[in-house]
Amino acid sequence: MDAAAAAGGSTVFWVIVIGYFIAVLGFGGYFARFNRNTSDFFFGGRRFSWWLITMSIVATGVGSHSFLKYSSKGFEHGFSSSMTYLNDWFFMPLFMFGWLPIIYYMRVRSIPEYFERRFNRGVRILATVSLLLFMLGYIGIGFVTMGKTLLPIIEPHLGWDLMTITCVVAVVAGVYITFGGQTAVIFTDLLQGFVLLFAGIMLFLLGLDYLGGFDAFWNALPADFKLPLSNFNDDPSFNFVGIFWQDAVAGSVGFLFMNQGLIMRFMACKSVQDGRKAAAFNVLLALPISAIAVSNAGWVGRAISNTKPDLLPPDTVPDEVFVRVTALLTTPAGFGFFVAAVTAALMSTVDTLINAVAAVTINDIYRPIQKARGKEGDDKKDLRAAMIVSAGATVIGVLAAWGFSKFDSLYEAHGFFQGTLTPPLVAAIMLAIFWKRFTSSGAIATFVVGAIMIVLGTYFPGVFVRPFDHGIPVEEGENYRYIGALWNLIACFGAGIIVSLLTKPHQAEEHEGLTLSSLSRARKAFKGGEPNDAPGFKRTLTWEVRPELPEGTVQVDQENLHQLAAEEGDLVYVSDRRWWLGGLRSAHAKLEGTHGLGETVLLAQDVSDNGHFLPGKMVTVEKEF
């Protein structure tokens, strides 16, 4: 019996793993009490500080598939396995200064809603279908990853097959996100982000110690395993140019711009500036560390197989390398911790996407149908519907997992999935944001004509993909594994650009605030007046509730109004003075006149309720603009 199977028979292993699951369920139950409405459930009330969102993004970015997927490629190809993790460097500025302020200031609740406001209802429907397929497929990827992680541990003892394990994991994931919502996701991921990075780096250190130090590890690797990038085009199974188009453009741009789950993370920030801080910290520091954390089991595994092939045979199934290396390097208790860390990765990705599916379904399908039927909106009913959709998304994700389990490896399954499904949305979003000449007809062509061309490229790669293959050798009877994403992108961008140039452009007022060229108007629309950017100071004050104040408003005295450099009608952020809460107890409001009570901020009843402020605890007030 190998080390992974042996660990599966250890009591301490299961105590640690099951204990983690119980802790996750406890998080979901606790933070469910902060869900007063769908804004809380989907966006966490738009209240959280940048550092909290950063760790949540780390947990989402590492993903449920990352440890197995990148360890697999690290075992086969070495350090170049991590190159896809650094792609966000190219595209993050476009996100930080283009897409993020547009969706935040225009209060876009979902990506399809953006398409209706930018174009029309028809484009919104196409975007909704595309986005739901993308997110449900991603949920399936997460579930099958967890199943493959636990299979060599559980199967020898319980006889469970891959899909049985997947179903059990899905039940646990579905329960806590169904009741916890975005606030549960963010605070669970704060813990999980630290756990993931700690576990990944700790595994690397254990591997170096096992091999006898860094020099022994380095010398045990073949020369081509030490290259930071794979060869340009001469390996059909893993080449730089194919990976760039599939993972960097179709993958990274898709993840940043169209992943509703990630968008909801940034929408939960207290401000655009905090969202930018989170994005910058993530790309400059967290992503390089994450790349090492998720790939190193493959590097260490190859070094062990080259020096001690009896412990880890060179022909080990790549998707099992992470589990087998971890079991080899740790005790049953330590192995339990690492399996729990991968479970954390699963939860971090799947919880985000299940919550995002619910957001898109409620905002882009359920509410429009209710409105068309003449029914008044009921936020409590919408919240219950969101929970039901979350449960349904979990079930569909399990069905998708069955399909992905048929691929040879997780990397190929994930790559084919994102390279095929993301190009229409990637092209439509990029053109909509950065090209004001992009028309409704062009957007429809991007989705419809682009999808048709993608199907043709999949079945006839020799005709459509080959002219763009950069000389990648392909054996007879095989398709292009990665470069097909380039054709898919060319087809979608091309269809949108050509049709837009042949159709009448929109009037400027039709897309005010929805394009890069009209960001100033988006900011003005968010406030409902001219922004006030005069620098002021934060103020720490006592607080009282005044039910007679209009909803969403607060009052301060004249002196504090001066210290804040604020005017009546300006937006302010009121938060518990304890910064380490990360905005859990906070609310946005508008200044409504002044009072003469000194160092006290008066809150409207709804501001107090939404902020979850505690009696006797002082609050910090800061002007936004």
Side-chain angles (χ1 to χ4, degrees):
M1 183 178 292
D2 62 33
S10 167
T11 301
V12 69
F13 169 83
W14 286 110
V15 167
I16 291 173
V17 173
I18 294 173
Y20 172 79
F21 273 77
I22 293 173
V24 167
L25 291 173
F27 262 85
Y30 176 79
F31 286 106
R33 68 196 184 99
F34 288 90
N35 292 328
R36 294 183 180 272
N37 49 50
T38 50
S39 177
D40 289 336
F41 189 81
F42 294 138
F43 307 115
R46 303 176 191 264
R47 69 179 70 191
F48 295 112
S49 299
W50 70 271
W51 58 267
L52 183 59
I53 298 300
T54 296
M55 294 311 300
S56 184
I57 293 169
V58 168
T60 300
V62 168
S64 61
H65 58 275
S66 298
F67 281 97
L68 270 68
K69 171 182 170 181
Y70 291 106
S71 292
S72 167
K73 287 302 172 185
F75 186 70
E76 293 179 307
H77 301 282
F79 293 163
S80 62
S81 63
S82 65
M83 66 182 180
T84 59
Y85 249 81
L86 306 180
N87 294 323
D88 289 2
W89 286 56
F90 297 101
F91 307 107
M92 188 62 80
L94 300 179
F95 175 85
M96 292 167 60
F97 299 100
W99 188 220
L100 174 61
I102 287 174
I103 59 175
Y104 197 99
Y105 289 138
M106 296 303 290
R107 303 179 190 272
V108 175
R109 291 173 297 181
S110 70
I111 293 172
E113 179 188 322
Y114 170 80
F115 279 105
E116 180 170 12
R117 294 168 66 176
R118 175 71 168 84
F119 302 110
N120 57 42
R121 179 68 181 163
V123 179
R124 179 175 188 165
I125 292 172
L126 291 171
T128 300
V129 173
S130 298
L131 189 61
L132 286 175
L133 288 174
F134 168 75
M135 292 189 296
L136 289 168
Y138 234 117
I139 292 169
I141 288 281
F143 284 153
V144 77
T145 300
M146 197 63 238
K148 287 198 172 190
T149 302
L150 296 176
L151 185 64
I153 303 168
I154 293 177
E155 186 181 34
H157 301 283
L158 299 180
W160 291 1
D161 61 12
L162 178 61
M163 290 311 300
T164 301
I165 297 171
T166 299
C167 290
V168 172
V169 170
V171 169
V172 176
V175 167
Y176 105 89
I177 186 57
T178 296
F179 294 100
Q182 189 69 196
T183 303
V185 170
I186 289 171
F187 273 86
T188 303
D189 286 356
L190 172 63
L191 169 65
Q192 292 177 170
F194 284 111
V195 169
L196 292 172
L197 295 183
F198 175 79
I201 299 302
M202 179 59 66
L203 185 64
F204 192 30
L205 296 177
L206 288 173
L208 295 180
D209 180 69
Y210 182 85
L211 289 165
F214 185 82
D215 287 343
F217 160 73
W218 184 261
N219 293 329
L221 294 176
D224 59 338
F225 271 55
K226 302 172 184 178
L227 300 176
L229 302 175
S230 60
N231 293 321
F232 180 75
N233 67 352
D234 62 357
D235 186 346
S237 67
F238 196 74
N239 52 79
F240 171 79
V241 67
I243 297 302
F244 174 79
W245 290 114
Q246 176 185 278
D247 285 1
V249 182
S252 291
V253 175
F255 186 76
L256 282 172
F257 286 79
M258 62 172 273
N259 187 326
Q260 179 73 23
L262 185 69
I263 294 299
M264 288 163 64
R265 288 291 201 281
F266 284 101
M267 294 293 281
C269 283
K270 71 176 186 180
S271 66
V272 169
Q273 286 301 102
D274 270 48
R276 286 171 174 162
K277 289 178 184 177
F281 187 89
N282 184 57
V283 75
L284 294 175
L285 183 63
L287 280 180
I289 297 174
S290 299
I292 297 172
V294 301
S295 301
N296 73 82
W299 311 336
V300 171
R302 178 54 64 188
I304 293 174
S305 71
N306 286 344
T307 56
K308 302 175 182 179
D310 55 318
L311 296 179
L312 189 71
D315 60 352
T316 298
V317 176
D319 277 351
E320 296 182 1
V321 165
F322 172 77
V323 175
R324 299 195 181 282
V325 167
T326 303
L328 187 63
L329 297 178
T330 60
T331 64
F335 186 49
F337 169 77
F338 281 98
V339 170
V342 177
T343 304
L346 167 76
M347 297 296 182
S348 300
T349 300
V350 173
D351 59 19
T352 301
L353 290 165
I354 291 175
N355 190 248
V357 168
V360 170
T361 302
I362 296 301
N363 292 324
D364 299 293
I365 299 177
Y366 179 78
R367 280 175 172 162
I369 290 176
Q370 292 293 89
K371 185 177 180 181
R373 295 168 62 184
K375 293 189 176 182
E376 291 290 330
D378 186 328
D379 206 69
K380 290 185 177 179
K381 288 184 179 180
D382 291 353
L383 183 57
R384 287 196 296 270
M387 292 180 177
I388 293 171
V389 171
S390 296
T394 304
V395 174
I396 296 173
V398 172
L399 298 177
W402 177 82
F404 290 123
S405 68
K406 305 301 179 183
F407 281 80
D408 293 337
S409 71
L410 282 170
Y411 192 91
E412 289 190 12
H414 186 248
F416 174 80
F417 163 71
Q418 70 180 11
T420 302
L421 281 183
T422 64
L425 268 170
V426 166
I429 289 175
M430 296 295 283
L431 290 172
I433 299 169
F434 300 109
W435 190 35
K436 61 182 180 181
R437 181 68 174 77
F438 192 41
T439 66
S440 298
S441 297
I444 293 173
T446 301
F447 285 106
V448 178
V449 177
I452 293 172
M453 300 307 289
I454 287 172
V455 172
L456 291 175
T458 301
Y459 285 97
F460 305 102
V463 176
F464 294 97
V465 182
R466 186 175 181 180
F468 307 97
D469 67 3
H470 297 286
I472 297 171
V474 177
E475 296 181 8
E476 186 176 353
E478 287 192 14
N479 291 335
Y480 293 92
R481 293 193 182 187
Y482 307 115
I483 202 65
L486 173 57
W487 160 251
N488 298 342
L489 289 163
I490 289 173
C492 294
F493 273 99
I497 291 171
I498 292 171
V499 172
S500 291
L501 291 174
L502 297 176
T503 52
K504 184 179 179 180
H506 295 181
Q507 297 297 317
E509 58 270 16
E510 295 181 62
H511 48 69
E512 279 197 355
L514 298 168
T515 62
L516 183 65
S517 60
S518 59
L519 271 183
S520 60
R521 288 185 287 277
R523 198 159 174 260
K524 183 178 179 180
F526 182 81
K527 180 180 179 180
E530 288 295 332
N532 173 12
D533 294 318
F537 299 95
K538 294 181 182 180
R539 305 298 295 157
T540 300
L541 309 170
T542 58
W543 64 276
E544 296 179 14
V545 177
R546 291 297 169 89
E548 67 271 15
L549 286 176
E551 287 190 359
T553 66
V554 300
Q555 283 185 348
V556 296
D557 70 321
Q558 190 64 44
E559 175 60 27
N560 279 297
L561 190 72
H562 175 72
Q563 292 292 328
L564 290 167
E567 301 172 355
E568 186 172 351
D570 284 350
L571 301 179
V572 295
Y573 176 70
V574 185
S575 62
D576 191 296
R577 68 179 298 182
R578 295 169 293 177
W579 65 267
W580 59 88
L581 293 178
L584 180 63
R585 300 186 183 279
S586 65
H588 294 275
K590 181 174 287 191
L591 284 170
E592 177 76 15
T594 59
H595 62 69
L597 302 178
E599 299 294 297
T600 299
V601 57
L602 303 182
L603 312 178
Q605 186 66 58
D606 66 312
V607 175
S608 173
D609 293 341
N610 293 335
H612 309 282
F613 300 116
L614 296 176
K617 297 292 184 182
M618 299 184 74
V619 298
T620 298
V621 181
E622 58 182 299
K623 184 192 70 178
E624 295 187 281
F625 58 85

